[in-house]
Every structure is written in structure tokens, then in C-alpha cells.
């Protein structure tokens, strides 16, 4: 089945209270029978440090930090790897560039990281969000209090294909990938799969503020047509998934469909909460080849509202905007 993880990278941003994060990453690696590397990604000493330190002292401090970090990571790994082997590595420098470079140069197909949580992270963009925007492989951001096993997995799909033809095929393939990843997670976790799509015929704020006049009867008719259209698209996706899976696997999964009328930037998260989602699998890039248009607004707002793990998927053909020197 497509989407099987083979090389996983678990990213630690510091040495504080990481046992639960690593345990969750090792659990994911074990269920997928994947190789896993745990990296401690640390910022380098600030650029102005060499202005107040002698050059030899600056270099010595930098090397000392790396040596101490490697010693800590090696020692911790002895406990972490008792039940499943993990390699380790320390990366010093810009965490985003280092992680993305490691992903590209080592054929990583999944990055796992604990969610950051602070007002400044949300205001200025945490490493989590930057990885979700720019990392070329799926990024799995686990909850700060990770669970040993998931019970409810949500696949959040955008089934609106009223776009230019060149975009429709990209969006359709992205939906297939989201569904594949979510299905596999649900299978390996023995969890319930929920498939969520939220649609809105008229932007809610425009109708509410009286910018247009809405005929309620006509609106109900249009909503019914949209619901039927999206339900048919979802049926096609599930049929394709059934053909890819072994016999009776989809019957075992019994995916629950949630086609909801509402404001997507609010209702995706609300629907995920209503089914007690442990993880939401969703696309984090809306379009390809548009400079500056890295993450869709709906995806970004939804992620900030979720209180569970998130797996961010990029569309086929996505290339990281980060310049990388390949090994």
C-alpha cells in the first residue's frame, strides 16, 4: 500500500521532557517497521557571539556544545532503544534548514516532532509550522501529551474541484494521498477512520453582513446539489482505495463519512473535536508553483485550532523552497 513509512526522522528541539515524544515516535516506527533516527536540532551560537569572544573561544564553545549534546543524546538513546533500535545525530545551526537538508539527503519519508506551544510560536511561526509549510515529506506533529495508541483518525479532504484543470489533478492526487496515509494509520493503530469534508456555498461572513441577498429556498437546493456532488466524489475515492487495499480491508476499516456544511476554517477542527480525533491527516499546501503561497489559509487556521496530533501532507510535485546542498 502506498504511503508506508520506511525512514523516519524524530526531531527534538531541546533536552527537556522528551521521553514521551520519543516513545510515540518509536511506537510509530515499530508499527511501520521503519528505520528511525532521533536528531537533536539545536540553534548555533548567535552570530554576534564571535564579536565578544575570541575566535578560538567561539569555536571551542561551539564544539563543546555539540560534544555535550551528542553525549546526552547517546546516553538517552540507551534507554530509548531498549525495545526498538534508533540511530542518533546532533544537528547544530538553523533547525529548519538542517532538518529539511537531512530529509532530502537521507530519503526520509516522515518527520515526527512534538508540538510547540507558546503565544510567540503562533505569532511568529514555530518550527512546527515552518516544517509543515516547507518540509518536502509528511510531517507528523504529535501532541504535547502523546497517547500510546490512537482510537480515532481523521482524513480531512477538500473535495471541491471547481478549479482550473491543471490544479484539479493535483488536488485529486493529494486527496488520495491523505486518504492512504490516514487509512494506514487507522489500520496499524486499530482505530476508527473518519473522513471529513466541509463545504460552504456562500462565504458566511458575506451573507451575514448583508453584502448579498440570499434566497433561502434556492440556497437549500444548491446545498443539496453540492452535498450530492461531494458525496459522489468521496465514494469514488473510497472505491479507488478499496481497489488498492487487500480484500475486505475497507470493510474492516468501516470509514465514517462526515460531509458538513459550514465555514471550513472553523468546522474542520470542530468536526475533528466532535469525533474525539487523536490525529488529523490533512494537506498543508494548497497550490504548486506560486511564490509565497506556501500553506493554504484554511490549513493554517485549522492547525492552530486542533487539540490533537497532525500529519501534514504535501501534494505530488512539491519542492521545498529551501536551498539545499545535496550530498
Amino acid at each position: 500500500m502506498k504511503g508506508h513509512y520506511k525512514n523516519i526522522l524524530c526531531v527534538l528541539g531541546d533536552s527537556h521532557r522528551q521521553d514521551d515524544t520519543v516513545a510515540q515516535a518509536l511506537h510509530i516506527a515499530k508499527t511501520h517497521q521503519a528505520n528511525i533516527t532521533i536528531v537533536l536540532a539545536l540553534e548555533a551560537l548567535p552570530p554576534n557571539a564571535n564579536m565578544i569572544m575570541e575566535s578560538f573561544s567561539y569555536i571551542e564553545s561551539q564544539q563543546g556544545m555539540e560534544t555535550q549534546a551528542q553525549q546526552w543524546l547517546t546516553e538517552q538513546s540507551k534507554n530509548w532503544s531498549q525495545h526498538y533500535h534508533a540511530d542518533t545525530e546532533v544537528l547544530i545551526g538553523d533547525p529548519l534548514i538542517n532538518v529539511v537538508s537531512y530529509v532530502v539527503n537521507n530519503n526520509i519519508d516522515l518527520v515526527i516532532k512534538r508540538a510547540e506551544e507558546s503565544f510567540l510560536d503562533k505569532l511568529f511561526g514555530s518550527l512546527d509550522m515552518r516544517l509543515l509549510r516547507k518540509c518536502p515529506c509528511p510531517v507528523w506533529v504529535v501532541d504535547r501529551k502523546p497517547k500510546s495508541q490512537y482510537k480515532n483518525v481523521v482524513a480531512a479532504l477538500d473535495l471541491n474541484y471547481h478549479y482550473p484543470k491543471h490544479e484539479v489533478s493535483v488536488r485529486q492526487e493529494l486527496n488520495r494521498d491523505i486518504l492512504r496515509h490516514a487509512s494506514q494509520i487507522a489500520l496499524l493503530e486499530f482505530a476508527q477512520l473518519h473522513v471529513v469534508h466541509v463545504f460552504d456555498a456562500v462565504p458566511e461572513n458575506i451573507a451575514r453582513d448583508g453584502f448579498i441577498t440570499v434566497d433561502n429556498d434556492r440556497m437549500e437546493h444548491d446545498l443539496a446539489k453540492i452535498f450530492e456532488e461531494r458525496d459522489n466524489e468521496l465514494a469514488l475515492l473510497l472505491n479507488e482505495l478499496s481497489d488498492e487495499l487487500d480484500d475486505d480491508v475497507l470493510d474492516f476499516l468501516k470509514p465514517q463519512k462526515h460531509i458538513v456544511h459550514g465555514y471550513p476554517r472553523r468546522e474542520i477542527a470542530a468536526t475533528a473535536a466532535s469525533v474525539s480525533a487523536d490525529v488529523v491527516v490533512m494537506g498543508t499546501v494548497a497550490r504548486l508553483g506560486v511564490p509565497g503561497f506556501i500553506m493554504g489559509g484554511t490549513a493554517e487556521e485549522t492547525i492552530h485550532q486542533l487539540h490533537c496530533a497532525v500529519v501534514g501532507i504535501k501534494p505530488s510535485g512539491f519542492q521545498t523552497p529551501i536551498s539545499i546542498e545535496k550530498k
Side-chain angles (χ1 to χ4, degrees):
M1 178 180 176
K2 290 180 68 176
H4 187 83
Y5 309 126
K6 295 180 180 178
N7 295 300
I8 294 176
L9 186 68
C10 175
V11 178
L12 308 182
D14 55 52
S15 60
H16 303 294
R17 300 182 300 279
Q18 296 287 4
D19 288 348
D20 287 344
T21 305
V22 172
Q24 180 75 2
L26 291 174
H27 166 72
I28 293 167
K30 188 175 182 179
T31 57
H32 289 261
Q33 289 298 292
N35 300 318
I36 181 168
T37 301
I38 301 169
V39 301
L40 180 58
L42 300 175
E43 294 270 4
L45 292 176
N48 63 344
N50 60 0
M51 296 175 62
I52 57 176
M53 301 169 69
E54 296 290 344
S55 59
F56 70 86
S57 178
Y58 176 83
I59 295 171
E60 195 174 75
S61 297
Q62 190 89 335
Q63 290 174 339
M65 178 174 68
E66 184 170 355
T67 299
Q68 296 231 2
Q70 187 62 64
Q71 287 175 349
W72 175 85
L73 189 58
T74 301
E75 192 62 32
Q76 291 296 313
S77 178
K78 293 176 183 176
N79 295 324
W80 293 337
S81 298
Q82 285 182 2
H83 302 293
Y84 195 79
H85 175 75
D87 295 320
T88 61
E89 187 157 344
V90 173
L91 302 176
I92 306 290
D94 184 306
L96 177 65
I97 294 174
N98 282 343
V99 170
V100 172
S101 297
Y102 195 96
V103 166
V104 172
N105 288 318
N106 294 276
N107 297 316
I108 301 297
D109 50 22
L110 177 68
V111 168
I112 299 175
K113 187 183 178 301
R114 184 177 69 177
E116 296 173 23
E117 187 177 42
S118 79
F119 175 73
L120 289 177
D121 286 336
K122 292 187 176 183
L123 188 63
F124 294 111
S126 66
L127 178 58
D128 303 349
M129 296 304 293
R130 288 182 289 158
L131 285 170
L132 286 165
R133 294 182 190 114
K134 300 179 180 181
C135 182
C137 74
V139 176
W140 192 326
V141 180
V142 300
D143 194 31
R144 292 183 66 83
K145 295 181 180 179
K147 300 179 180 179
S148 59
Q149 188 171 4
Y150 294 156
K151 295 180 180 178
N152 292 287
V153 177
V154 167
L157 305 180
D158 181 0
L159 300 169
N160 177 9
Y161 296 143
H162 296 277
Y163 291 92
K165 287 184 178 180
H166 66 277
E167 281 194 39
V168 171
S169 61
V170 173
R171 290 175 179 269
Q172 288 174 328
E173 187 56 35
L174 178 58
N175 280 329
R176 293 185 189 103
D177 280 341
I178 292 168
L179 201 51
R180 288 175 186 130
H181 283 266
S183 299
Q184 189 174 69
I185 294 169
L187 281 171
L188 293 174
E189 295 284 335
F190 299 99
Q192 175 64 58
L193 174 63
H194 300 267
V195 185
V196 172
H197 169 67
V198 178
F199 69 92
D200 189 10
V202 177
E204 187 179 280
N205 60 317
I206 295 178
R208 183 180 62 244
D209 293 338
F211 292 117
I212 63 172
T213 301
V214 178
D215 183 303
N216 288 332
D217 290 338
R218 179 61 187 233
M219 175 65 75
E220 290 299 322
H221 178 263
D222 288 346
L223 290 175
K225 286 183 65 177
I226 294 173
F227 181 92
E228 182 181 10
E229 173 191 86
R230 308 299 161 82
D231 190 46
N232 288 337
E233 292 292 352
L234 180 51
L236 289 173
L237 278 174
L238 290 173
N239 285 337
E240 289 178 1
L241 181 66
S242 180
D243 291 340
E244 291 183 18
L245 297 170
D246 293 335
D247 293 344
D248 301 325
V249 171
L250 196 64
D251 290 335
F252 172 79
L253 277 173
K254 292 185 174 62
Q256 294 186 10
K257 299 190 294 184
H258 308 266
I259 301 179
V260 180
H261 170 230
Y263 190 43
R265 298 188 182 204
R266 181 179 63 238
E267 294 301 328
I268 294 173
T271 305
S274 73
V275 301
S276 301
D278 297 302
V279 59
V280 173
V281 184
M282 62 188 298
T284 56
V285 175
R287 299 174 68 186
L288 295 175
V290 183
F293 203 93
I294 304 299
M295 179 181 282
T298 297
E300 189 143 356
E301 287 194 35
T302 297
I303 288 168
H304 283 313
Q305 296 172 60
L306 292 172
H307 299 285
C308 65
V310 176
V311 179
I313 309 294
K314 309 295 192 307
S316 177
F318 174 85
Q319 294 184 348
T320 180
I322 295 173
S323 180
I324 293 169
E325 183 177 338
K326 294 186 178 181
K327 294 181 180 179

